[in-house]
Amino acid sequence: MLFSSYAAPASPDEVIALLGKRNNRIAAGNLWLRMSRRTGGTMIDLKNLGWDQIEETDDAYLIGASVTLHMLETHPGLNAMTGNLFADAFRAIVGVQFRNAATVGGSLYMRAGFSDLLTALLPLNAAVLLYPEKEIPLAEYARLAPAGELIRGVRIPKQEVRVAYRALRNTAGSVPVLTCAVAARGSALYAAIGARPMRAELIGGPGEAPESLAAELTRLTYGTNRAASEAYRRHVAGVLFARCAGEITGKETQA
Amino acid sequence: MNITFVLNGKTVHAETAPDENLLSVLRRCGVMSVKCSCDTANCGCCTVWVNGKPTLSCAYPAPRADGQEITTLEALTEEAESFAAYMADEGADQCGFCNPGFVMNVLAMKRELTDFTEENVRTYLAGNLCRCTGFASQHRAVAAWLKNTGREAAEV
């Protein structure tokens, strides 16, 4: 038995109260949770909170925690702003049925190293919205350990951006061996490199040149696991970065 | 606990454990087209529509289905049979275990996509694994069926 009871609270305060008990968990997409070894406690379902919408304001897109990956990848406004970034980043995540279940909040809370979502969001200057009201820059949030916090959503600022995404998978549909997103905003250039296999990290800033960013990403920490070696990942990071940078600047850079 | 949902157009009351998945409840309701194959939310054999969207019923918490509209292959017999004829023509129907989930996703794709390029179709159907066919015959069947039902890649 995974859980001994189920609750779908009508208010976030009730969710917070339930999270006060150690064994209770939020079930988001329930894709990883269902395979976990755990017993007892309450499965908390956020379905009655209305956090499954993408709201457009004057200066941002507010993505509810229960918005699915498929909603994000098919949103016309986000696709227009980012040149189909999320469609590019998610198309190899298992299948549409999986992405109709996997949620933005669930993925970000896990902070998985292989997260295509985390890698794609980082260079967009996104922020995580918590309940009670608190906003944390995503780059900062990604470094924190999961601590039972309640994610309400994500804010993606509206921006003029050119962004490209590449990931390498050993097998179609499996988790990536390396992920790379590169974004140019004004004179600033950013890159997020994930699945190293550590969580994605954001580098770059105003006035950054592709060549200096390419050098910087070789200095990130990479690791070895069953899927790939540290040296291979470091090499692939340079290749994927060069392809992304080439796509957004229209010229090749040295990897 | 008790849940009430709409199954293939009819209101159904069912008993479920708090941590049960929708797939198990559906099979207890006599819906035998949904199957658990991989048990890791990867293969697509358990695909049903929740409020019209293709979803893995092996991972969908059954209590969450309360108040939702669930559609399975049993409600789409006529359309499924028309597509199945194309599968048979291409020899794409081998052991048949994955067929119901695959057909549910093909029919969902037909409703959702607007541009049926080969890449879009392959991406949409990537979450349905088949151990027999190698997918080529399935994709030939899908392409022929789409063409004959007026769904093709948009003009470039």
Side-chain angles (χ1 to χ4, degrees), chain A residues 1-6 26-31 34-35 43-47 68 70-71 73-74 87 90-92 94-101 103 173-174, chain B residues 1 18-21 36 39-44 47-48 53-56 58-61 63-68 101 105 112 119-120 123-128:
Chain A
M1 178 195 285
L2 286 172
F3 290 97
S4 53
S5 60
Y6 167 90
I26 293 172
N30 197 37
L31 297 154
R34 72 182 285 278
M35 294 189 285
M43 175 193 280
I44 306 168
D45 192 336
L46 307 182
K47 74 171 189 175
T68 66
H70 194 55
M71 288 171 70
E73 71 181 304
T74 54
F90 298 165
R91 74 173 72 246
V94 188
V96 167
Q97 306 99 308
F98 185 98
R99 303 199 297 278
N100 271 332
T103 70
S174 65
Chain B
M1 58 188 293
D19 57 352
E20 205 169 8
N21 57 45
C36 189
D39 207 22
T40 58
N42 273 272
C43 74
T47 301
V48 301
K53 294 180 179 174
T55 303
L56 300 170
C58 76
Y60 193 88
R64 186 174 287 173
D66 188 57
Q68 312 302 314
N105 208 31
E112 181 177 346
E119 189 192 352
N120 286 348
T123 299
Y124 203 99
L125 300 178
N128 290 86

Side-chain angles (χ1 to χ4, degrees), chain A residues 118-134:
Chain A
L118 179 58
T119 306
L121 280 175
L122 274 171
L124 295 181
N125 198 22
V128 176
L129 312 172
L130 300 182
Y131 187 91
E133 301 303 326
K134 188 177 179 186

